[in-house]
Amino acid sequence: MILSNGCCEGMPWPRISPRWRRRLVTRRRKKASGGERWESRAASATLYPRSPELGGSAGILPRDCAKSEEKLLGFTRGRRAARAQAAPGWDHGPHSARGLDLSSDSWGAVGSSEIVVLLHGFPTSSYDWCKIWEGLTQRFHRVIALDFLGFGFSDKPRPHNYSIFEQASIVEGLLRHLGLQNQRVNLLSHDYGDTVAQELLYRYKHNRTGRVLINSLCLSNGGIFPETHHPTLLQKLLKDGGPMSPILTRLMNFFFFARGLAVVFGPYTRPSEAEMWDMWAGIRTNDGNLVIDSILQYINQRKKHRDRWVGALASMAVPLHFIYGPSDPVNPHPEFMNLYRKTLPQSTVSILDDHISHYPQLEDPMGFLNAYLNFINSF
């Protein structure tokens, strides 16, 4: 799933009613012709029948987007809603481009020409950005988010060797598909997305063909140093792909997911049950729980390629910032921050309130957004 900003069209993930959430979790999406297609958008949403001009299928329209059907048609009439075309660096197999639907290009902040690309974390999706999406669209000309392969509403092939390198190539292919290969973009990342951003930075530094032209990089609560990264117990059990992995992934349900995810949030900032269901819907779509052990190989990849990815940060010449929730048990304070400041003295840092944990953009969206915009406005 790939998203771009605009009225209704650009907001990542809906707040889905329990009735439709159950259908989303338990049913696979039908093929495009004549069936139903699920599209993710942010904010409250209700199901509405799309007119023939919009493809004749079902969509999800945010309630707080007070746009008439006529205005919605006018906005989308000229859009290019096409599946991603195979291109060098994009199609890394029969599954990696299939099922990705591009949103329309649209105007964001008046007078701004800047672009921001959002790279989400594990095990969630572009839903991670829903609470700061509106604020970003008021500052940037374009806001672009995607669900990485294996996450959210994107394809989840199995068996498949998921890798950070592949995800970085998908981001490059996306920007090339959107015609942004020659424009500088700002990267805003979290957790798993931090490592994808590090690989993109390495390619940019070494002038690789097809590289993303990076204007700035802002990281947040990611395990960029393997020596200070403390994965959860379930992640430890799954990342090595032992005989228990297939059993654990098949036994995974909402109850275990919610309990496991809650521990990486602050004690006063944990998601509501409805928000947990929204996150679980993204995982359960296309049997995503069955590929979690394969995706978790990124932890081992971080160790193997530490010098490559940490070295890319240490030698970067573009503005670098880190937004940190200090109550994070995965990247604990002060161990992580002491090493970060020692290794990357050129980087600026924003440390949020003491009770903010691993998902700062969801736990303290206003504090996170202010920290990021202050960074963007500083250069």
Side-chain angles (χ1 to χ4, degrees), residues 24 55 66 130 233 260 272 277 294 355:
L24 175 61
C130 65
L233 176 60
S272 66
W277 271 108
S294 300
H355 64 278

Side-chain angles (χ1 to χ4, degrees), residues 110-352:
V110 176
S112 173
S113 60
E114 293 186 272
I115 301 164
V116 62
V117 178
L118 311 179
L119 307 176
H120 68 78
F122 175 90
T124 43
S125 65
S126 55
Y127 179 90
D128 295 353
W129 309 108
C130 65
K131 293 185 179 181
I132 65 169
W133 186 270
E134 183 179 355
L136 292 174
T137 60
Q138 293 174 5
R139 172 61 176 80
F140 291 93
H141 173 63
R142 291 177 67 181
V143 180
I144 300 168
L146 74 157
D147 291 343
F148 289 124
L149 186 69
F151 294 80
F153 286 172
S154 286
D155 277 357
K156 297 165 182 176
R158 52 186 174 92
H160 185 77
N161 293 322
Y162 292 88
S163 75
I164 295 297
F165 299 101
E166 179 183 39
Q167 305 286 23
S169 294
I170 288 174
V171 175
E172 291 175 339
L174 165 62
L175 295 181
R176 187 162 52 250
H177 184 88
L178 295 176
L180 302 176
Q181 65 271 26
N182 296 319
Q183 297 193 42
R184 292 192 170 272
V185 302
N186 301 284
L187 297 181
L188 174 57
S189 61
H190 171 246
D191 186 61
Y192 182 91
D194 286 356
T195 310
V196 177
Q198 289 174 267
E199 173 59 20
L200 291 170
L201 186 63
Y202 178 89
R203 298 181 186 188
Y204 172 69
K205 175 190 171 187
H206 290 81
N207 203 27
R208 296 289 181 85
T209 301
R211 71 196 185 284
V212 173
L213 299 180
I214 300 174
N215 186 55
S216 71
L217 172 59
C218 181
L219 310 167
S220 59
N221 284 77
I224 60 177
F225 304 118
E227 57 269 40
T228 61
H229 180 247
H230 299 272
T232 64
L233 176 60
L234 183 59
Q235 289 176 339
K236 291 177 181 178
L237 293 173
L238 292 176
K239 72 180 179 67
D240 294 323
M244 290 295 294
S245 294
I247 300 174
L248 291 173
T249 55
R250 289 188 177 277
L251 290 177
M252 188 177 296
N253 57 27
F254 172 76
F255 174 76
F256 290 112
F257 162 75
R259 290 199 61 178
L261 193 64
V263 300
V264 301
F265 280 80
Y268 312 112
T269 55
R270 289 176 179 170
S272 66
E273 183 178 4
E275 290 171 329
M276 283 289 193
W277 271 108
D278 288 344
M279 296 178 190
W280 174 244
I283 293 174
R284 190 63 185 85
T285 298
N286 294 332
D287 295 327
N289 56 300
L290 302 181
V291 303
I292 285 180
D293 55 335
S294 300
I295 294 174
L296 276 168
Q297 297 309 307
Y298 79 88
I299 296 177
N300 299 325
Q301 293 167 22
R302 280 175 173 171
K303 294 179 180 178
K304 181 177 180 180
H305 301 289
R306 183 196 186 279
D307 292 343
R308 175 189 178 102
W309 290 335
V310 175
L313 291 174
S315 59
M316 72 178 293
V318 300
L320 174 64
H321 192 66
F322 198 99
I323 302 176
Y324 183 54
S327 187
D328 186 359
V330 181
N331 305 286
H333 184 72
E335 178 186 4
F336 170 82
M337 190 47 62
N338 288 342
L339 179 58
Y340 184 88
R341 284 176 161 155
K342 179 181 178 181
T343 307
L344 305 170
Q346 81 278 17
S347 173
T348 54
V349 174
S350 296
I351 300 180
L352 303 181

